Amino acid sequence: MEKVQMSEKPVAIVTGVGPGTGAAIVKRFSAGGFRIMALARSAELINRLAQELPDVHAATCDVSDENQVRTVVADVKRRFGAAEVLVHNAVGGGWGSFREIDPKMLKGNFEVNVMGLLYLAREVAPDMIDRGKGAILVTGNTSSIRGKANFAGFAPTKAAQRILAESIARDMGPLGVHVAYVLIDAVIDTPRMRARMSDKPDEFFIKPAAIADELYHLYGQNRSAWSFLTELRPFGENW
């Protein structure tokens, strides 16, 4: 059996690690002294982060699969110890009106955005409750509070995700576990979005590193002043 690498470092699990926000979260928590398990459905980026950053480890995982989630969280605990932080950043998305979408889109996005959060939270919660501390942080967006016409296959799942996170927060808060939902009201600065919106100025975009900084701040909030819903947007955003 592989020996558990126990240390003074707290353990974080980050889902949906892609080249934008996910990678920035891994880098920020790594800089903060965490041992991190980076999860994604594709291995390429997370393996590279594991090679480049100290105490970052990679595992492929589809968070919509309860068995995969259970296996990964158990492996983290066996190898490194129980997670002190979970950041659910994985997202299922897509566009189209309710008349246009394949209903399977809505179902699939619900599995990632909502059921994935449920599976993950249920796996990490017992140890957090036992220790009386920990944080479950969820990245969301404007669709969690607004159902625009072209987001019929996505917005309902993000709204449900926000409500589930709130339910978890009300349950876990009195037990010492901080649950927070970060509503990102902006276009995230990634190469793909820069290419799609090449006419937009730099200040139009929200920086992934700035999102990661806020998540790290939420983790460190004094328990006498915990946030649940935090909204982030560039200074010039019309809201």
Side-chain angles (χ1 to χ4, degrees), residues 7 12 29 32 42 45 63 69 76 88 90 96 102 122 132 185 192 210 224-225 228:
S7 74
F29 277 81
S42 174
L45 174 64
V63 298
V69 169
V76 170
H88 184 36
D102 183 339
R122 283 164 64 95
D185 183 19
R192 182 172 66 91
S224 71
F228 169 68

Side-chain angles (χ1 to χ4, degrees), residues 5-237:
Q5 302 176 34
M6 293 295 187
S7 74
E8 296 301 315
K9 285 190 171 184
V11 175
I13 297 173
V14 182
T15 74
V17 178
T21 307
I25 295 167
V26 170
K27 291 174 183 177
R28 181 63 186 89
F29 277 81
S30 175
F34 275 78
R35 173 169 284 147
I36 298 165
M37 181 60 80
L39 305 183
R41 283 183 289 192
S42 174
E44 182 179 357
L45 174 64
I46 54 176
N47 284 339
R48 188 165 72 246
L49 289 172
Q51 293 172 354
E52 294 174 353
L53 299 171
D55 268 330
V56 172
H57 308 267
T60 56
C61 181
D62 180 351
V63 298
S64 70
D65 185 319
E66 185 176 10
N67 289 329
Q68 289 189 41
V69 169
R70 183 178 296 117
T71 298
V72 165
V73 175
D75 184 57
V76 170
K77 184 176 180 179
R78 176 176 59 82
R79 294 172 61 191
F80 310 126
E84 182 163 323
V85 175
L86 165 68
V87 182
H88 184 36
N89 181 65
V91 60
W95 290 270
S97 75
F98 80 99
R99 292 176 292 168
E100 300 166 340
I101 62 169
D102 183 339
K104 292 178 182 177
M105 175 199 287
L106 179 60
K107 183 177 180 180
N109 291 340
F110 191 88
E111 290 293 327
V112 173
N113 300 334
V114 184
M115 298 308 297
L117 173 58
L118 179 66
Y119 300 148
L120 289 156
R122 283 164 64 95
E123 292 302 316
V124 302
D127 288 307
M128 291 181 177
I129 292 169
D130 285 347
R131 290 177 301 174
K133 66 175 184 176
I136 297 174
L137 310 174
V138 185
T139 56
N141 52 47
T142 320
S143 287
S144 67
I145 58 171
R146 183 180 65 195
K148 296 185 77 172
N150 205 38
F151 288 75
F154 178 60
T157 72
K158 295 302 284 186
Q161 182 189 65
R162 176 177 57 83
I163 292 298
L164 175 58
E166 183 176 344
S167 180
I168 297 170
R170 291 171 181 266
D171 187 345
M172 298 281 277
L175 302 175
V177 180
H178 184 191
V179 181
Y181 193 84
V182 178
L183 191 160
I184 302 166
D185 183 19
V187 176
I188 299 173
D189 191 356
T190 63
R192 182 172 66 91
M193 296 311 297
R194 283 280 187 169
R196 283 184 57 186
M197 300 183 170
S198 58
D199 60 324
K200 298 295 185 182
D202 184 68
E203 59 267 24
F204 172 80
F205 300 91
I206 190 169
K207 307 298 183 185
I211 297 170
D213 282 342
E214 183 58 26
L215 286 161
Y216 193 80
H217 166 252
L218 287 167
Y219 158 72
Q221 277 186 326
N222 187 285
R223 63 173 55 201
S224 71
W226 274 351
S227 302
F228 169 68
L229 182 62
T230 297
E231 298 184 37
L232 302 179
R233 58 180 60 90
F235 70 93
E237 180 76 8

